[in-house]
Amino acid sequence: MPRFNDYKHKNAKFQTCFPWIRLARMVLTMLLLSLCLSGCRRQDPSAQISDVGFYFDTVVELRLNGTDDQNLIDKCFEKMGQYEALLSRTREESDVWRINHSAGEPVEVSDDTAALITLAEKYYELSDGAFDITVAPYVTIWDFQNNPGKVPAAASIAAARVHVGLSLLHLDGNTVTLDDPRASIDLGGIAKGYIADRLKEYLVSEGVTSGYINLGGNMLTIGTKPGDVPWNIGIRRPFGEASDVIATVKVDGLSVVTSGPYERYFEKDGTIYHHILNPADGYPVQNGLASVTILSESSADGDALSTSCFVLGLDRGLKLIESLDGVEALFITDDMKLHSSSGFPISD
Ligand code: AMP
Ligand code: MG
């Protein structure tokens, strides 16, 4: 009858002869363990988490399906805080703040800031100058964040005009130079879309397959709802209540971004003064549009295009959208009529 030691010995001999079997067993055990961990923590189809926060001067919301891992949401909020510290116009020592206070000297910026400026330059070209991040001197004068309803003096807007224009900005690798010490930039028309794209990249790399990132109405979806059901995104009635939806659109992994005056404005003597400015004259755009919604794969593209199209107006905006692949738009005019690009999948 074999003794215990015989087996032990046989086993030891077996293992000495085939050390790779031990290695394979170890790898297999680790694989099973990690599968179990991710399965227990992340892959529960009925699990669902969501949370809200306040970043970029707006309410943000995250919703993840198929996971109960709060760390993912915490990490996203942490990333939002980092982007805010990098891209805010008003936060001292942000990249944008340093560019705007560089007094004509070159400034080294992060890869994210350089990527955003490159994208902004692309949309300046595509929109024929309608999208221009150097509108910042006008943004400062109007100060819609704090302005209780005072129209700035025409002379101060006229005086700012010479300090606006993308030709004043140069990007060479990660070095940014503003030729004019009184020129400045504002990434408010594109940053939220860019950040949403980065957050989605992170979540997808962590195995998230369903959810959405809502940065103050800039929606970026991940996959579909559980059960392969597309997300039904409501498009807000301009100047209506937040819950007043004028149309809905079904999407699967796409970004839905809207630009509209109602997001930040004041009314004076029957005129609405709002935050989307015409780079050519420094005044809020008045062209009969009440909002523009862009559907696209990338939220940075959607964000830049919604602002661009709002400035361009219905005809030029629609023409731009029709010239681009993989992008659709819905324009709403002041009379609340809907005008959509040829492939816009409007639900009702
Ligand atoms: P959005 O809500 O994405 O349309 O962005 C509007 C924000 O972009 C404003 O609050 C300004 O910070 C900035 N902005 C205003 N006018 C322009 C413009 N013509 N081009 C680029 N950014 C702009
Ligand atoms: Mg925008």
Side-chain angles (χ1 to χ4, degrees):
M1 195 174 151
R3 286 167 300 137
F4 172 73
N5 270 347
D6 291 345
Y7 282 121
K8 216 171 120 190
H9 175 72
K10 251 166 107 182
N11 206 20
K13 197 168 158 202
F14 188 69
Q15 285 185 0
T16 331
C17 293
F18 302 100
W20 55 270
I21 287 184
R22 284 175 67 192
L23 190 71
R25 244 179 23 196
M26 256 169 64
V27 170
L28 197 70
T29 312
M30 279 166 68
L31 202 71
L32 283 172
L33 198 69
S34 76
L35 271 178
C36 170
L37 276 179
S38 67
C40 302
R41 217 178 43 171
R42 302 243 167 99
Q43 315 263 305
D44 177 357
S46 65
Q48 178 182 106
I49 44 172
S50 61
D51 213 340
V52 291
F54 194 82
Y55 294 88
F56 326 118
D57 213 21
T58 189
V59 177
V60 302
E61 182 197 3
L62 291 168
R63 157 86 171 272
L64 309 179
N65 294 319
T67 178
D68 59 5
D69 187 354
Q70 182 65 30
N71 287 331
L72 294 173
I73 285 189
D74 294 345
K75 187 77 188 168
C76 283
F77 284 147
E78 189 187 320
K79 284 176 184 283
M80 287 188 220
Q82 287 163 354
Y83 279 119
E84 192 163 44
L86 199 64
L87 303 171
S88 157
R89 205 165 48 88
T90 49
R91 279 260 202 120
E92 289 202 11
E93 295 310 315
S94 75
D95 274 2
V96 172
W97 191 92
R98 289 189 304 111
I99 292 169
N100 292 348
H101 293 81
S102 60
E105 293 299 316
V107 172
E108 280 301 299
V109 298
S110 65
D111 290 347
D112 282 311
T113 306
L116 263 163
I117 292 175
T118 304
L119 257 184
E121 287 175 335
K122 171 183 161 183
Y123 282 100
Y124 175 85
E125 292 298 326
L126 268 179
S127 69
D128 220 1
F131 186 83
D132 186 345
I133 56 172
T134 69
V135 293
Y138 299 142
V139 175
T140 305
I141 292 172
W142 284 96
D143 191 18
F144 283 101
Q145 245 135 330
N146 307 301
N147 192 333
K150 194 170 177 298
V151 179
S156 68
I157 295 177
R161 222 159 277 160
V162 290
H163 308 296
V164 172
L166 208 69
S167 60
L168 299 170
L169 176 78
H170 307 281
L171 175 71
D172 180 10
N174 284 39
T175 309
V176 180
T177 316
L178 276 176
D179 288 341
D180 176 347
R182 292 179 65 188
S184 52
I185 63 165
D186 178 328
L187 298 175
I190 192 170
K192 284 198 295 238
Y194 177 87
I195 295 163
D197 286 336
R198 300 291 80 77
L199 295 175
K200 177 170 172 175
E201 250 167 36
Y202 162 70
L203 290 169
V204 168
S205 78
E206 290 290 326
V208 175
T209 53
S210 169
Y212 63 74
I213 298 154
N214 177 2
L215 305 185
N218 277 34
M219 282 289 271
L220 179 59
T221 60
I222 304 172
T224 58
K225 285 201 268 188
D228 225 11
V229 182
W231 299 97
N232 211 16
I233 309 291
I235 296 166
R236 196 172 146 183
R237 180 181 298 278
F239 297 101
E241 295 292 309
S243 57
D244 188 357
V245 162
I246 195 167
T248 58
V249 59
K250 287 190 166 55
V251 294
D252 162 357
L254 292 183
S255 153
V256 186
V257 174
T258 301
S259 283
Y262 58 89
E263 291 170 321
R264 203 157 272 167
Y265 73 100
F266 64 79
E267 196 171 343
K268 180 94 193 289
D269 302 331
T271 303
I272 285 174
Y273 296 92
H274 63 87
H275 68 135
I276 305 175
L277 303 169
N278 185 347
D281 63 14
Y283 279 85
V285 172
Q286 312 285 1
N287 59 12
L289 280 181
S291 78
V292 180
T293 298
I294 305 288
L295 224 69
S296 55
E297 195 80 44
S298 137
S299 203
D301 291 338
D303 199 355
L305 279 170
S306 65
T307 312
S308 302
C309 287
F310 195 95
V311 179
L312 285 171
L314 178 59
D315 294 338
R316 291 174 71 201
L318 257 180
K319 210 168 143 199
L320 171 61
I321 296 301
E322 297 295 7
S323 75
L324 301 171
D325 281 337
V327 180
E328 300 295 339
L330 177 71
F331 293 72
I332 303 179
T333 37
D334 284 341
D335 54 7
M336 296 297 130
K337 286 213 169 83
L338 312 187
H339 312 256
S340 54
S341 61
S342 48
F344 195 91
I346 197 152
S347 305
D348 51 58

